[in-house]
Amino acid sequence: MGGSTFGQAFRVTTFGESHGAAVGAVVDGCPPRLALDVKEVQRDLDRRRPGQSLLTTQRQEEDRAEILSGVFEGVTLGTPISLLVRNQDAQSGAYEAMRDVYRPSHADYTTEAKYGVRDWRGGGRASARETTARVAAGAVARKLLAEAAGVEVLAWVDSVRDIRAMVDVDAVTLEDVEAAPVRCPQVHAATAMTDAIEQARRDGDSLGGVVACVARNVPAGLGEPVFDKIDADLAKAMLSLPAAKGFEIGSGFAGTLLTGLAHNDPFVPGPDGRPTTQSNRSGGVQGGITNGAPVVLRVAFKPTATIASAQQTVDREGNAVTLAAKGRHDPCVLPRAVPIVEAMVCLVLADHWLRQRAVAG
Amino acid sequence: MGGSTFGQAFRVTTFGESHGAAVGAVVDGCPPRLALDVKEVQRDLDRRRPGQSLLTTQRQEEDRAEILSGVFEGVTLGTPISLLVRNQDAQSGAYEAMRDVYRPSHADYTTEAKYGVRDWRGGGRASARETTARVAAGAVARKLLAEAAGVEVLAWVDSVRDIRAMVDVDAVTLEDVEAAPVRCPQVHAATAMTDAIEQARRDGDSLGGVVACVARNVPAGLGEPVFDKIDADLAKAMLSLPAAKGFEIGSGFAGTLLTGLAHNDPFVPGPDGRPTTQSNRSGGVQGGITNGAPVVLRVAFKPTATIASAQQTVDREGNAVTLAAKGRHDPCVLPRAVPIVEAMVCLVLADHWLRQRAVAG
Amino acid sequence: MGGSTFGQAFRVTTFGESHGAAVGAVVDGCPPRLALDVKEVQRDLDRRRPGQSLLTTQRQEEDRAEILSGVFEGVTLGTPISLLVRNQDAQSGAYEAMRDVYRPSHADYTTEAKYGVRDWRGGGRASARETTARVAAGAVARKLLAEAAGVEVLAWVDSVRDIRAMVDVDAVTLEDVEAAPVRCPQVHAATAMTDAIEQARRDGDSLGGVVACVARNVPAGLGEPVFDKIDADLAKAMLSLPAAKGFEIGSGFAGTLLTGLAHNDPFVPGPDGRPTTQSNRSGGVQGGITNGAPVVLRVAFKPTATIASAQQTVDREGNAVTLAAKGRHDPCVLPRAVPIVEAMVCLVLADHWLRQRAVAG
Amino acid sequence: MGGSTFGQAFRVTTFGESHGAAVGAVVDGCPPRLALDVKEVQRDLDRRRPGQSLLTTQRQEEDRAEILSGVFEGVTLGTPISLLVRNQDAQSGAYEAMRDVYRPSHADYTTEAKYGVRDWRGGGRASARETTARVAAGAVARKLLAEAAGVEVLAWVDSVRDIRAMVDVDAVTLEDVEAAPVRCPQVHAATAMTDAIEQARRDGDSLGGVVACVARNVPAGLGEPVFDKIDADLAKAMLSLPAAKGFEIGSGFAGTLLTGLAHNDPFVPGPDGRPTTQSNRSGGVQGGITNGAPVVLRVAFKPTATIASAQQTVDREGNAVTLAAKGRHDPCVLPRAVPIVEAMVCLVLADHWLRQRAVAG
């Protein structure tokens, strides 16, 4: 019931607190005989790693992944793959002052309301550091999807505050995204976003925005018709990320402004004789099941709750106090959220790909 | 793996096709000794029932619920509660023409891609008729939450196309919502929405919009810190509804336009000595766990895919064809989505309320 | 958490109390396009049905199954299959006297300790009547296994009290088993068992015994290497049956009397070139995974707890009382346990067959 | 679907191969604020550790446990507790010869039939080394049960081959069990067992036997009435152990020789006014739910499959070969199975104790 496991067929369990000994993941259900090298895990971790640029937290973590089980002679065994990342640069002293103070819009108070105890160092279990484990597990899912079905999952920063990029969902590449540390593939928007984030940092403030993601070459037929619709599982995956406040599949909220006639995606015969859609307002999902078109989604991330400016709050004894947060943090989580969003999308797709294999043989 | 079960502690399994013999739900995990009358289930079903007004489908279903198990001498036994609703007014003949044609933006093609077979009558398992079972199960959850914790869950139509109501989330009542068939509590907006929907019907077209929902008196501490954040489970619940394309908790996408300083909810000492927030951009959830403030969420529903106007599509043999859909349908799903959204919110809250009881005793 | 769902890929949820309106099952995860007729379900239910002979309870139930969903034009849809059996001959009056008295070695007291309430009529949820739903669901699993892999599952009464049959596990057929109402395929033992059961009935007493079961043509590779070993899931399935007190796979307890040299099953090249075992003390399972040999198991059932003779017990107020049970019951559950054991074995095998398909494609 | 997770509320996921980098467990769902020291985990691991005496394998492993997460300032946080044990004395060379040969009655062939690949070093995932992780997790469950409800779980070697101890289930203590390395609390039987095991080792042979276990002070009301009966979950837990072939709760197979009148446990008023049973043939479980009496169970373990004597078998190419196994092993697994059985019983009880808390508040 602890809620640290995700997926049914491709199951990931994560563990670890921000300033504990380690964070990690156990992947159960990955098929055997998949070639897997720890470098493939490291590649995604390196994209998520803190301290990459001035846009991110200055916590220095190598985030060196170790595979403890489930891989033998370069291939998966079908048994659980355990992935471990030791914490190195935990500077817990900065959090001493916040030991008894609830940071606004953080999980400090709710954790205490839930458990009656919390690891106050760096956010404990609620820290975004936990997503290290998700990215490691997601790299395994990504490899499986690529090998088994040629699936490619790619995310980018679509907006920061009111700076919105115009991105061609069908054409954008990993190189485009990685061209700038802010991970926005449109150059002008990237520059404006970078400036805005740096200004927010100087102001002791923070920014939010939207990450968009596309999954290409997803086979038709993934997802279940009722509760486990693939967009339902994607929505859960995205809202399970720290700071996420909203989710859209395909046309999303904007789609509510159209009429049915304008919104429906007409079917036309596809190049392989199978139906294909002329437009993709469905976002690749119809009735909770993929239709073969690219899966397109968007995730809203609020501005980072940790800010340097003074804020009004309450301590454990119920006294009103003023807090100026210490501790290192990202002035904008969006650039590092990109590989995290990709990882969660990979986990959902791998899970449903295996589930569909059980159904359809 | 079929994905027809929802929840971990308060578990609901639904079954039934639109034009099959019946739809129903089995609720497993409801605590014993809860007073429960079938009338309480019927009350919610009557709000969801088709044929209530000209705004909805004209399919005539009494939707008479029967409790087959789990209740004895007026109270729950702790054993599975089975809820059954027979289908009565299935007019499958209207669908004969669509037996071999894929309706655009419906689940026809994806169901066939997944299973290689489908019940083409009225949408089969993908039909919104399945939500009858969810509403019946949700009524049990609603009763549990009300008795155990005084929780109240209330939804309403917040927008239709570009007609947006201004609603006081803290003050709105069930009576306000039910005052008009369109289920928008603001009178002027309700009138405009009604006109727009009726016009869309006459045009052979359809409309979408947004349903908002508030849950009051939710205790602090519900939700798990990582994957099973309560807003993650709410997002999944909402996206599992037919026609849903987006989800927001609290400030949602609009929150991305604020800076951290403007977005954070300052804590102040509450009347009972516990911290309370001055604002509620968090939507009652911080770090995936409720903080005692009202839980506030919004769901985007696309315009109904079924429209009377002619559309371009493809048949099972891959031929391009033109389709003018028959079959009865809602020109706008929003009014009937209101009790369905409430039901799903109740299921999520009841599940997490029981889970927290296991954790905290 | 209510524990009324079994299986992960082929999932069965049952509901219903002995004297409630109905018992039933929802099967989620059955693959699509399986030919299924309600008669195939009925055939197994008829074998479990009470009132078949003087060896069983005289409760008269037609046990007429209805398929409410998941089957269309004679084949499964891939959606939940709902199976319903109405209760007809509930004579609750006989249980009035036991409303406040705990029958020895029944679930009366423990149900009340758990829930603080119970349906005292006929055992409520703890009644063997619940197994009706399992048999109905098991018939679907049996069909799937037969069609997909040619699997045959066959059980019989191996012993009653100290009367033990000698049965050739490899040769015994359904006809042999069904030749006598006691369901022991060895004629002499069957006669002795029948006599013993009839004598026990006359004495106001009851008997127990052992059911054996073989599953033939089970493919190698089913089962998971750690917790979800296939024999672990079989053990759970068997001990979940009312009155079950023991389980053996292969050599079982008797195997502990051999040395390793005598107990190990030597491998020899099989007819198809794959390894096969010369003996089958493993019972078709090695390391929790099937090896292609017949799966052989045994289940101990205690003598029926309900007896007509006077017994010492306690009532709800804690007073010592004497109870002479009324209500109809089987003087020996073994003959009717045979199709129930088969059903549970089918559920386990179907579940693992689907799981393996997800792993191996 | 990989089957490496056990439990619903108190969930344990294990990972690790015998000769891989490490074995470990993640415990999710343990309540917060439980005092927990790594020494309490180590105490149980030391009882399971190889190389304790000449009765066990001579593999030298310190089995030093590390807690990586979930514990802070000496108490649990409510978050996942990750437990890690590095492998140290893996001597894989001895297994080279068996790389392409299937050891009889081992999991070599079935693993390959399932996955098409296996880690041939020391049994890989199928090795009893995996139970290290179970014992570590079980120590957490044991602590929870002791603190929360005063539960005590104690197992012992009840028989080796045909040498059966007579043990007073109500009186036996941990000191009695630990008095001899063979872990049989009856002195004479212990001596005979020790002699027999040493003789088997000298003979290049192996022995099996039965472990018995009692759980005291288990509250009434644990277990679910249908599939998740507590004895069903115990049966699964026991059969999930390597070499387990049989399970009994209470009277087990012997109970089938009694009539109902002799077998039923009469209720009498207990010292606290609650009903208690005069005898305990039920083994503390009635209708799948604990009744407050000691839970008593027995597990049959086959003679160790690995023996030094020559055996007939088949290699990967299908050739008949003769194998004289190398690698270190226990000539009888019983003594080391004792803490493993206890660990699994603790996991089941902790899981159901939490589940009951969700049901009953």
Short mmCIF file of all heavy atoms in Angstrom, two decimals, chain C residues 256 258 260, chain D residues 53-57 157 159-161 163 181-183 193-201 205-211 242-243 301-307 329-338:
data_model
loop_
_atom_site.label_atom_id
_atom_site.label_comp_id
_atom_site.label_asym_id
_atom_site.label_seq_id
_atom_site.Cartn_x
_atom_site.Cartn_y
_atom_site.Cartn_z
N THR C 256 9.80 -36.71 1.94
CA THR C 256 10.80 -36.40 2.98
C THR C 256 11.42 -37.68 3.53
O THR C 256 12.41 -37.60 4.27
CB THR C 256 10.18 -35.61 4.14
OG1 THR C 256 9.24 -36.43 4.84
CG2 THR C 256 9.47 -34.37 3.63
N LEU C 258 12.63 -40.08 1.66
CA LEU C 258 13.64 -40.57 0.72
C LEU C 258 14.94 -39.77 0.87
O LEU C 258 14.93 -38.66 1.40
CB LEU C 258 13.13 -40.44 -0.72
CG LEU C 258 11.84 -41.18 -1.06
CD1 LEU C 258 11.45 -40.90 -2.51
CD2 LEU C 258 11.99 -42.68 -0.83
N GLY C 260 18.17 -37.92 -1.28
CA GLY C 260 18.24 -37.17 -2.53
C GLY C 260 18.45 -38.06 -3.74
O GLY C 260 17.85 -37.87 -4.80
N SER D 53 27.79 -24.58 10.61
CA SER D 53 28.22 -25.86 11.18
C SER D 53 28.50 -26.81 10.03
O SER D 53 28.30 -26.46 8.86
CB SER D 53 27.14 -26.44 12.09
OG SER D 53 26.11 -27.00 11.30
N LEU D 54 28.93 -28.01 10.37
CA LEU D 54 29.20 -28.98 9.31
C LEU D 54 27.91 -29.49 8.68
O LEU D 54 27.94 -30.20 7.67
CB LEU D 54 30.01 -30.15 9.88
CG LEU D 54 31.50 -29.78 10.10
CD1 LEU D 54 32.23 -30.94 10.77
CD2 LEU D 54 32.15 -29.46 8.76
N LEU D 55 26.77 -29.16 9.29
CA LEU D 55 25.50 -29.60 8.72
C LEU D 55 25.12 -28.78 7.49
O LEU D 55 24.21 -29.14 6.77
CB LEU D 55 24.39 -29.48 9.76
CG LEU D 55 24.57 -30.33 11.02
CD1 LEU D 55 23.38 -30.11 11.95
CD2 LEU D 55 24.68 -31.81 10.66
N THR D 56 25.79 -27.67 7.30
CA THR D 56 25.36 -26.75 6.24
C THR D 56 26.45 -26.58 5.19
O THR D 56 27.57 -27.07 5.35
CB THR D 56 25.02 -25.37 6.83
OG1 THR D 56 26.24 -24.79 7.33
CG2 THR D 56 24.03 -25.48 7.97
N THR D 57 26.10 -25.86 4.13
CA THR D 57 27.07 -25.58 3.08
C THR D 57 28.26 -24.83 3.66
O THR D 57 28.13 -24.07 4.62
CB THR D 57 26.44 -24.72 1.96
OG1 THR D 57 27.49 -24.36 1.06
CG2 THR D 57 25.82 -23.44 2.48
N VAL D 157 12.95 -27.85 13.51
CA VAL D 157 12.98 -29.05 12.68
C VAL D 157 12.18 -30.14 13.39
O VAL D 157 12.52 -30.55 14.48
CB VAL D 157 14.43 -29.50 12.43
CG1 VAL D 157 14.45 -30.82 11.65
CG2 VAL D 157 15.18 -28.41 11.65
N SER D 159 11.08 -33.09 11.76
CA SER D 159 11.55 -34.42 11.37
C SER D 159 12.65 -34.28 10.34
O SER D 159 12.71 -33.28 9.60
CB SER D 159 10.41 -35.29 10.80
OG SER D 159 10.02 -34.82 9.53
N VAL D 160 13.55 -35.28 10.33
CA VAL D 160 14.52 -35.45 9.26
C VAL D 160 14.38 -36.89 8.81
O VAL D 160 14.45 -37.81 9.65
CB VAL D 160 15.95 -35.16 9.74
CG1 VAL D 160 16.97 -35.65 8.70
CG2 VAL D 160 16.15 -33.68 10.01
N ARG D 161 14.13 -37.06 7.57
CA ARG D 161 13.79 -38.40 7.04
C ARG D 161 12.71 -39.00 7.94
O ARG D 161 11.64 -38.39 8.08
CB ARG D 161 15.03 -39.29 6.96
CG ARG D 161 14.94 -40.32 5.83
CD ARG D 161 16.10 -41.32 5.91
NE ARG D 161 16.28 -41.82 7.26
CZ ARG D 161 17.42 -42.20 7.80
NH1 ARG D 161 18.53 -42.14 7.10
NH2 ARG D 161 17.46 -42.65 9.03
N ILE D 163 13.10 -39.63 11.20
CA ILE D 163 13.37 -39.30 12.61
C ILE D 163 12.48 -38.13 13.00
O ILE D 163 12.69 -36.99 12.56
CB ILE D 163 14.85 -38.90 12.80
CG1 ILE D 163 15.76 -39.99 12.24
CG2 ILE D 163 15.13 -38.61 14.27
CD1 ILE D 163 17.19 -39.52 12.00
N PRO D 181 22.76 -27.24 16.60
CA PRO D 181 22.81 -26.68 15.24
C PRO D 181 21.73 -27.24 14.32
O PRO D 181 21.34 -26.58 13.35
CB PRO D 181 24.20 -27.11 14.74
CG PRO D 181 25.01 -27.33 15.98
CD PRO D 181 24.04 -27.81 17.03
N VAL D 182 21.22 -28.41 14.62
CA VAL D 182 20.22 -29.00 13.73
C VAL D 182 18.84 -28.36 13.92
O VAL D 182 17.93 -28.57 13.16
CB VAL D 182 20.16 -30.53 13.93
CG1 VAL D 182 19.42 -30.89 15.22
CG2 VAL D 182 19.52 -31.23 12.73
N ARG D 183 18.72 -27.58 15.00
CA ARG D 183 17.49 -26.82 15.32
C ARG D 183 16.27 -27.70 15.56
O ARG D 183 15.14 -27.35 15.19
CB ARG D 183 17.19 -25.79 14.23
CG ARG D 183 18.19 -24.66 14.23
CD ARG D 183 17.64 -23.35 13.70
NE ARG D 183 18.60 -22.28 13.90
CZ ARG D 183 19.50 -21.87 13.00
NH1 ARG D 183 19.55 -22.44 11.83
NH2 ARG D 183 20.34 -20.91 13.29
N MET D 193 19.13 -36.91 14.30
CA MET D 193 19.09 -36.15 13.04
C MET D 193 20.50 -35.73 12.61
O MET D 193 20.86 -35.85 11.43
CB MET D 193 18.23 -34.89 13.20
CG MET D 193 16.73 -35.17 13.37
SD MET D 193 15.86 -33.62 13.81
CE MET D 193 14.17 -34.22 13.95
N THR D 194 21.25 -35.24 13.57
CA THR D 194 22.62 -34.80 13.27
C THR D 194 23.43 -35.96 12.69
O THR D 194 24.14 -35.81 11.68
CB THR D 194 23.28 -34.26 14.55
OG1 THR D 194 22.44 -33.22 15.08
CG2 THR D 194 24.66 -33.71 14.27
N ASP D 195 23.33 -37.09 13.35
CA ASP D 195 24.06 -38.26 12.85
C ASP D 195 23.63 -38.61 11.43
O ASP D 195 24.46 -38.90 10.56
CB ASP D 195 23.79 -39.47 13.77
CG ASP D 195 24.43 -39.29 15.15
OD1 ASP D 195 25.26 -38.35 15.31
OD2 ASP D 195 24.08 -40.05 16.06
N ALA D 196 22.34 -38.59 11.20
CA ALA D 196 21.83 -38.98 9.89
C ALA D 196 22.31 -38.01 8.81
O ALA D 196 22.68 -38.42 7.70
CB ALA D 196 20.30 -39.03 9.92
N ILE D 197 22.31 -36.74 9.13
CA ILE D 197 22.74 -35.74 8.14
C ILE D 197 24.23 -35.90 7.84
O ILE D 197 24.66 -35.86 6.67
CB ILE D 197 22.42 -34.31 8.63
CG1 ILE D 197 20.91 -34.12 8.76
CG2 ILE D 197 23.01 -33.27 7.68
CD1 ILE D 197 20.49 -32.83 9.46
N GLU D 198 25.01 -36.10 8.89
CA GLU D 198 26.45 -36.26 8.66
C GLU D 198 26.73 -37.52 7.84
O GLU D 198 27.63 -37.54 7.00
CB GLU D 198 27.19 -36.27 10.00
CG GLU D 198 27.16 -34.87 10.63
CD GLU D 198 27.85 -34.79 11.99
OE1 GLU D 198 28.12 -35.86 12.58
OE2 GLU D 198 28.11 -33.67 12.44
N GLN D 199 25.96 -38.56 8.11
CA GLN D 199 26.13 -39.78 7.33
C GLN D 199 25.77 -39.54 5.86
O GLN D 199 26.47 -40.00 4.96
CB GLN D 199 25.25 -40.90 7.91
CG GLN D 199 25.45 -42.26 7.22
CD GLN D 199 26.87 -42.77 7.38
OE1 GLN D 199 27.44 -42.72 8.48
NE2 GLN D 199 27.49 -43.23 6.28
N ALA D 200 24.69 -38.82 5.64
CA ALA D 200 24.28 -38.53 4.26
C ALA D 200 25.37 -37.76 3.53
O ALA D 200 25.68 -38.03 2.37
CB ALA D 200 22.98 -37.73 4.27
N ARG D 201 25.97 -36.80 4.23
CA ARG D 201 27.05 -36.05 3.61
C ARG D 201 28.19 -36.98 3.21
O ARG D 201 28.71 -36.91 2.10
CB ARG D 201 27.58 -34.99 4.59
CG ARG D 201 28.82 -34.27 4.06
CD ARG D 201 29.53 -33.45 5.14
NE ARG D 201 28.78 -32.26 5.52
CZ ARG D 201 28.77 -31.12 4.83
NH1 ARG D 201 29.45 -31.03 3.69
NH2 ARG D 201 28.09 -30.08 5.24
N ASP D 205 25.07 -38.08 -0.34
CA ASP D 205 23.62 -38.10 -0.50
C ASP D 205 23.02 -36.93 0.30
O ASP D 205 23.76 -36.06 0.79
CB ASP D 205 23.07 -39.45 0.00
CG ASP D 205 21.79 -39.86 -0.73
OD1 ASP D 205 21.14 -38.99 -1.34
OD2 ASP D 205 21.45 -41.06 -0.67
N SER D 206 21.72 -36.87 0.41
CA SER D 206 21.09 -35.75 1.11
C SER D 206 19.79 -36.21 1.74
O SER D 206 19.24 -37.24 1.36
CB SER D 206 20.82 -34.60 0.13
OG SER D 206 19.85 -35.00 -0.82
N LEU D 207 19.28 -35.40 2.69
CA LEU D 207 18.05 -35.75 3.41
C LEU D 207 17.04 -34.61 3.37
O LEU D 207 17.41 -33.45 3.26
CB LEU D 207 18.37 -36.10 4.87
CG LEU D 207 19.30 -37.29 5.11
CD1 LEU D 207 19.48 -37.52 6.61
CD2 LEU D 207 18.73 -38.56 4.45
N GLY D 208 15.79 -34.97 3.53
CA GLY D 208 14.71 -33.99 3.68
C GLY D 208 14.04 -34.11 5.03
O GLY D 208 14.54 -34.83 5.91
N GLY D 209 12.92 -33.44 5.18
CA GLY D 209 12.23 -33.50 6.46
C GLY D 209 11.14 -32.46 6.55
O GLY D 209 10.68 -31.92 5.53
N VAL D 210 10.72 -32.21 7.78
CA VAL D 210 9.59 -31.30 8.01
C VAL D 210 9.98 -30.23 9.01
O VAL D 210 10.59 -30.53 10.04
CB VAL D 210 8.36 -32.09 8.54
CG1 VAL D 210 7.22 -31.15 8.92
CG2 VAL D 210 7.89 -33.11 7.50
N VAL D 211 9.67 -28.99 8.69
CA VAL D 211 9.79 -27.90 9.65
C VAL D 211 8.40 -27.58 10.17
O VAL D 211 7.44 -27.49 9.39
CB VAL D 211 10.42 -26.65 9.00
CG1 VAL D 211 10.31 -25.43 9.92
CG2 VAL D 211 11.88 -26.91 8.66
N PRO D 242 12.40 -22.70 -1.70
CA PRO D 242 13.07 -23.76 -2.44
C PRO D 242 12.94 -25.09 -1.71
O PRO D 242 13.07 -25.14 -0.48
CB PRO D 242 14.54 -23.29 -2.46
CG PRO D 242 14.49 -21.82 -2.27
CD PRO D 242 13.30 -21.56 -1.40
N ALA D 243 12.69 -26.15 -2.44
CA ALA D 243 12.64 -27.53 -1.92
C ALA D 243 11.37 -27.86 -1.16
O ALA D 243 11.19 -28.99 -0.73
CB ALA D 243 13.87 -27.85 -1.06
N PHE D 301 10.06 -30.45 3.30
CA PHE D 301 11.17 -30.11 2.40
C PHE D 301 11.77 -31.40 1.86
O PHE D 301 12.13 -32.30 2.63
CB PHE D 301 12.24 -29.31 3.13
CG PHE D 301 11.82 -27.92 3.49
CD1 PHE D 301 11.29 -27.64 4.75
CD2 PHE D 301 11.93 -26.89 2.58
CE1 PHE D 301 10.89 -26.35 5.08
CE2 PHE D 301 11.54 -25.59 2.91
CZ PHE D 301 11.01 -25.32 4.17
N LYS D 302 11.89 -31.48 0.56
CA LYS D 302 12.47 -32.66 -0.06
C LYS D 302 13.97 -32.73 0.26
O LYS D 302 14.57 -31.72 0.66
CB LYS D 302 12.25 -32.62 -1.57
CG LYS D 302 13.05 -31.53 -2.28
CD LYS D 302 12.89 -31.63 -3.81
CE LYS D 302 13.79 -30.60 -4.49
NZ LYS D 302 13.69 -30.65 -5.95
N PRO D 303 14.58 -33.90 0.09
CA PRO D 303 16.04 -33.99 0.24
C PRO D 303 16.71 -33.07 -0.79
O PRO D 303 16.24 -32.96 -1.93
CB PRO D 303 16.34 -35.45 -0.04
CG PRO D 303 15.12 -36.02 -0.69
CD PRO D 303 13.97 -35.20 -0.21
N THR D 304 17.78 -32.41 -0.39
CA THR D 304 18.50 -31.49 -1.27
C THR D 304 18.76 -32.13 -2.63
O THR D 304 19.24 -33.27 -2.70
CB THR D 304 19.87 -31.15 -0.64
OG1 THR D 304 19.69 -30.90 0.75
CG2 THR D 304 20.49 -29.93 -1.29
N ALA D 305 18.47 -31.39 -3.68
CA ALA D 305 18.64 -31.93 -5.02
C ALA D 305 20.13 -32.10 -5.38
O ALA D 305 20.50 -33.01 -6.11
CB ALA D 305 17.94 -31.04 -6.04
N THR D 306 20.95 -31.19 -4.87
CA THR D 306 22.38 -31.28 -5.18
C THR D 306 23.02 -32.38 -4.33
O THR D 306 22.97 -32.33 -3.10
CB THR D 306 23.09 -29.95 -4.86
OG1 THR D 306 22.41 -28.90 -5.54
CG2 THR D 306 24.55 -30.01 -5.30
N ILE D 307 23.57 -33.36 -4.97
CA ILE D 307 24.26 -34.45 -4.27
C ILE D 307 25.58 -34.72 -4.99
O ILE D 307 25.74 -34.39 -6.17
CB ILE D 307 23.41 -35.74 -4.22
CG1 ILE D 307 22.93 -36.13 -5.62
CG2 ILE D 307 22.23 -35.57 -3.27
CD1 ILE D 307 22.14 -37.42 -5.66
N HIS D 329 26.97 -27.12 -0.98
CA HIS D 329 25.54 -27.21 -0.73
C HIS D 329 25.29 -27.81 0.65
O HIS D 329 26.19 -28.36 1.28
CB HIS D 329 24.88 -28.06 -1.81
CG HIS D 329 25.39 -29.47 -1.82
ND1 HIS D 329 26.53 -29.83 -2.54
CD2 HIS D 329 24.98 -30.58 -1.20
CE1 HIS D 329 26.76 -31.12 -2.35
NE2 HIS D 329 25.85 -31.59 -1.54
N ASP D 330 24.05 -27.70 1.09
CA ASP D 330 23.64 -28.29 2.36
C ASP D 330 23.23 -29.74 2.12
O ASP D 330 22.39 -29.99 1.25
CB ASP D 330 22.44 -27.53 2.93
CG ASP D 330 22.77 -26.10 3.29
OD1 ASP D 330 23.34 -25.86 4.36
OD2 ASP D 330 22.46 -25.20 2.47
N PRO D 331 23.74 -30.67 2.92
CA PRO D 331 23.27 -32.05 2.77
C PRO D 331 21.83 -32.19 3.25
O PRO D 331 21.16 -33.18 2.94
CB PRO D 331 24.23 -32.85 3.65
CG PRO D 331 24.80 -31.86 4.63
CD PRO D 331 24.81 -30.53 3.93
N CYS D 332 21.35 -31.20 3.99
CA CYS D 332 19.96 -31.19 4.46
C CYS D 332 19.59 -29.73 4.71
O CYS D 332 20.27 -29.04 5.47
CB CYS D 332 19.84 -32.00 5.76
SG CYS D 332 18.18 -31.99 6.48
N VAL D 333 18.56 -29.23 4.05
CA VAL D 333 18.27 -27.80 4.16
C VAL D 333 17.52 -27.45 5.43
O VAL D 333 17.33 -26.28 5.77
CB VAL D 333 17.42 -27.30 2.96
CG1 VAL D 333 18.17 -27.54 1.65
CG2 VAL D 333 16.05 -27.94 2.93
N LEU D 334 17.08 -28.44 6.18
CA LEU D 334 16.15 -28.18 7.27
C LEU D 334 16.66 -27.19 8.31
O LEU D 334 15.96 -26.24 8.67
CB LEU D 334 15.73 -29.50 7.94
CG LEU D 334 14.58 -30.30 7.30
CD1 LEU D 334 13.25 -29.62 7.57
CD2 LEU D 334 14.77 -30.59 5.85
N PRO D 335 17.89 -27.37 8.84
CA PRO D 335 18.31 -26.45 9.91
C PRO D 335 18.27 -24.99 9.49
O PRO D 335 17.82 -24.13 10.25
CB PRO D 335 19.74 -26.93 10.23
CG PRO D 335 19.76 -28.37 9.81
CD PRO D 335 18.88 -28.44 8.60
N ARG D 336 18.73 -24.71 8.28
CA ARG D 336 18.70 -23.32 7.83
C ARG D 336 17.32 -22.89 7.35
O ARG D 336 17.04 -21.70 7.23
CB ARG D 336 19.73 -23.11 6.72
CG ARG D 336 21.17 -23.17 7.25
CD ARG D 336 22.17 -23.08 6.13
NE ARG D 336 22.08 -21.82 5.46
CZ ARG D 336 22.41 -21.62 4.18
NH1 ARG D 336 22.83 -22.64 3.44
NH2 ARG D 336 22.30 -20.44 3.65
N ALA D 337 16.45 -23.84 7.07
CA ALA D 337 15.09 -23.47 6.66
C ALA D 337 14.29 -22.88 7.82
O ALA D 337 13.32 -22.14 7.61
CB ALA D 337 14.37 -24.69 6.09
N VAL D 338 14.73 -23.17 9.05
CA VAL D 338 13.96 -22.73 10.22
C VAL D 338 13.78 -21.20 10.24
O VAL D 338 12.64 -20.71 10.29
CB VAL D 338 14.61 -23.28 11.51
CG1 VAL D 338 14.11 -22.54 12.74
CG2 VAL D 338 14.33 -24.78 11.62
#
